[in-house]
Every structure is written in structure tokens, then in C-alpha cells.
């Protein structure tokens, strides 16, 4: 009898044995590959978001905004606990709405809509106008954060709109970049000038509508998302006297 190791080494494998060995290994590889592909597909489909309650349709997001504002107006806001959300928000964010608001210190969207950290993606600039930086920020909110709604929020007694009215009516000029900001709002003033009613209130509402139009005309990304019904763009005016937000028709 020869040594088994020597015999095995010296005897060539039969074609059948070689076929079985190779096809067996291939089958195992295919099976493992299939399992890995399946697991990766499942992993790609299942996305864990920091705040699952913020995954809403555009209509539900608007409804949630207005329900929060109603609580704020009535003085029954919820207790916001940062400690409760802190760990989840370290991993990322999935706000349920983006807000373009005036920078006026009397208007605070997070308070006005009784929201918590991670709920609203807020950009603020005097007169709630759309410039490149605001546009890029809101495009990020739509494309990356997948917000279902953009709210353009003006407010009554807006100083920026009042400055634009003074430019149109009195030929006023302002120092620094204040003039260019006021000039951005002048088209809204001109559109409502001469109509019945309070000029400031009318210009504030028209300025909100102009910003909504600017978002659509200046950003293909936002325009396409709205066309696919992934987002809604709405406008509103915050009332300083009681905090109520009225949506524009």
C-alpha cells in the first residue's frame, strides 16, 4: 500500500471529479453572492431616519405646520425636550418642512409652529427674499433632506418691505447693501401700488408670492420636484399681534 497523501498527489483527478469540484465551488459562490446581494438590496431599501414622525406627504406637512401654529397662538405649546432628541439627531436630520422667513427678531418659525429641533430647515433673510445662498440652501433641503414642503413666511409691519415702499414713493436711499435689498422688493411694491387697501399689507403679501415664484423660476431642481408632486411651495404671513399665520390663497 502506498502512502495516501502520495497516491492522492500522484493520481490525476478524473474529469468528472474536477467538474463536480469546480461546479460545487461555483454554486457556493453564487449562493453566497446572492445572499449578499439580497442583504445589500434590503439595506438599501430600509433607511433609518432620525425622526420617523417627520416622514410626511406635502399635505400632511402643511397640516402639521398649521396645527403647531394653532397651539402657539392658543398658548398650549408642547414641552420640547432636547435631551430626548439629542442622540437621534447626532446621526443626521430629516426635517418635515423648509421655511424661508424674514430675519425680523419678532418672528421665530420654530416657536411659531411649535416645533422641535430637527423639525424645520429654516433660512432667514430680511424681507424673505430669494438670493443665490437662500436658493442653494433650499435646494439642499429638497434634494438631500427630502423636505415635502417649502413655506415662504412674511410678516406684517415688515421693515424691509416698508423700505422698498419708501424707495418707490419717496425716492429714499439707504446706506450699504440695504439699498440693494430694498430694490429686490421694489417689484412687489410696484405690482400692488395704486390698488385699494393698505399698501404695506398688500406689498408684504405680494413679496411672499414673488419669492415663491422666484424659487420656481430660479431652480430647475425645485421646479421639477414640485412638478413630480414631491413638494409643495406655500406662502404665509405671520401676524405680530397674536402670532397667527395666514396662508395665502
Amino acid at each position: 500500500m502506498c502512502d495516501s497523501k502520495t497516491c492522492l498527489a500522484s493520481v490525476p483527478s478524473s474529469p468528472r471529479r474536477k467538474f463536480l469540484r469546480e461546479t460545487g465551488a461555483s454554486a457556493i459562490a453564487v449562493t453566497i453572492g446572492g445572499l449578499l446581494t439580497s442583504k445589500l438590496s434590503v439595506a438599501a431599501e430600509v433607511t433609518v431616519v432620525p425622526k420617523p414622525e417627520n416622514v410626511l406627504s406635502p399635505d400632511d406637512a402643511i397640516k402639521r405646520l398649521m396645527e403647531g401654529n394653532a397651539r402657539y397662538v392658543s398658548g398650549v405649546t408642547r414641552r420640547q425636550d432636547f435631551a430626548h432628541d439629542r442622540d437621534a439627531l447626532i446621526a443626521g436630520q430629516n426635517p418635515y418642512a423648509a421655511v424661508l422667513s424674514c430675519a425680523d427678531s419678532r418672528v421665530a418659525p420654530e416657536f411659531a409652529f411649535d416645533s422641535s429641533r430637527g423639525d424645520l430647515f429654516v433660512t432667514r433673510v430680511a424681507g424673505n427674499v430669494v438670493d443665490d445662498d437662500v436658493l442653494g440652501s433650499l435646494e439642499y433641503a429638497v434634494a438631500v433632506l427630502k423636505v415635502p414642503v417649502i413655506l415662504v413666511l412674511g410678516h406684517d409691519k415688515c421693515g424691509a418691505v416698508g423700505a422698498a415702499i419708501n424707495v418707490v414713493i419717496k425716492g429714499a436711499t439707504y446706506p450699504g447693501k440695504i439699498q440693494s435689498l430694498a430694490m429686490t422688493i421694489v417689484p412687489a411694491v410696484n405690482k400692488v401700488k395704486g390698488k385699494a387697501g393698505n399698501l404695506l399689507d398688500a406689498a408684504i403679501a405680494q413679496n411672499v408670492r414673488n419669492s415663491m415664484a422666484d424659487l420656481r423660476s430660479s431652480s430647475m431642481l425645485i421646479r421639477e420636484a414640485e412638478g413630480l408632486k414631491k413638494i409643495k411651495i406655500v406662502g404665509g404671513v405671520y401676524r405680530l399681534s397674536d402670532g397667527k399665520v395666514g396662508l395665502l390663497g
Side-chain angles (χ1 to χ4, degrees):
M1 294 179 65
C2 66
D3 180 75
S4 60
K5 293 182 180 178
T6 305
C7 290
L8 289 173
S10 61
V11 178
S13 298
S14 69
R16 181 173 181 274
R17 184 181 296 128
K18 183 178 181 182
F19 171 79
L20 290 173
R21 184 169 62 246
E22 291 179 351
T23 55
S26 298
I28 292 171
V30 169
T31 301
I32 292 173
L35 290 172
L36 287 174
T37 301
S38 175
K39 288 181 178 180
L40 287 173
S41 298
V42 170
E45 292 173 2
V46 178
T47 304
V48 179
V49 294
K51 304 189 79 169
E53 68 273 18
N54 284 359
V55 181
L56 299 171
S57 69
D59 287 337
D60 286 340
I62 295 168
K63 180 182 177 183
R64 182 171 167 185
L65 282 169
M66 300 314 294
E67 288 175 346
N69 181 242
R71 291 193 303 272
Y72 172 72
V73 171
S74 62
V76 291
T77 54
R78 295 171 176 171
R79 179 178 181 272
Q80 305 298 344
D81 181 8
F82 176 56
H84 177 74
D85 295 330
R86 184 167 49 209
D87 290 341
L89 293 175
I90 290 173
Q93 58 173 322
N94 65 308
Y96 76 87
V99 181
L100 168 54
S101 170
C102 182
D104 193 295
S105 64
R106 299 166 293 179
V107 182
E110 291 84 356
F111 290 152
F113 297 105
D114 190 26
S115 60
S116 184
R117 295 160 186 82
D119 287 344
L120 302 181
F121 185 90
V122 180
T123 59
R124 302 188 67 177
V125 59
N128 43 271
V129 297
V130 177
D131 60 17
D132 286 347
D133 295 328
V134 165
L135 191 63
S137 298
L138 293 175
E139 285 182 331
Y140 174 81
V142 171
V144 179
L145 303 181
K146 309 298 183 185
V147 296
V149 64
I150 298 175
L151 168 64
V152 180
L153 184 64
H155 67 94
D156 61 359
K157 306 185 188 303
C158 180
V161 178
I165 291 175
N166 286 336
V167 169
V168 173
I169 304 299
K170 302 177 182 179
T173 58
Y174 300 96
K177 297 296 182 180
I178 301 174
Q179 183 71 17
S180 63
L181 175 64
M183 293 302 297
T184 302
I185 304 172
V186 162
V189 177
N190 285 331
K191 188 159 187 175
V192 298
K193 185 179 65 173
K195 294 183 179 180
N198 182 280
L199 177 57
L200 178 59
D201 290 344
I204 287 168
Q206 186 59 49
N207 184 52
V208 169
R209 292 189 174 96
N210 283 9
S211 290
M212 294 167 63
D214 288 343
L215 289 175
R216 295 183 176 105
S217 64
S218 301
S219 173
M220 181 180 294
L221 189 157
I222 291 175
R223 188 166 62 250
E224 288 182 348
E226 186 181 34
L228 293 171
K229 301 188 185 305
K230 293 182 178 180
I231 66 165
K232 281 191 174 183
I233 302 172
V234 294
V237 176
Y238 177 93
R239 196 162 58 200
L240 293 173
S241 61
D242 58 11
K244 185 176 177 60
V245 173
L247 295 181
L248 299 179

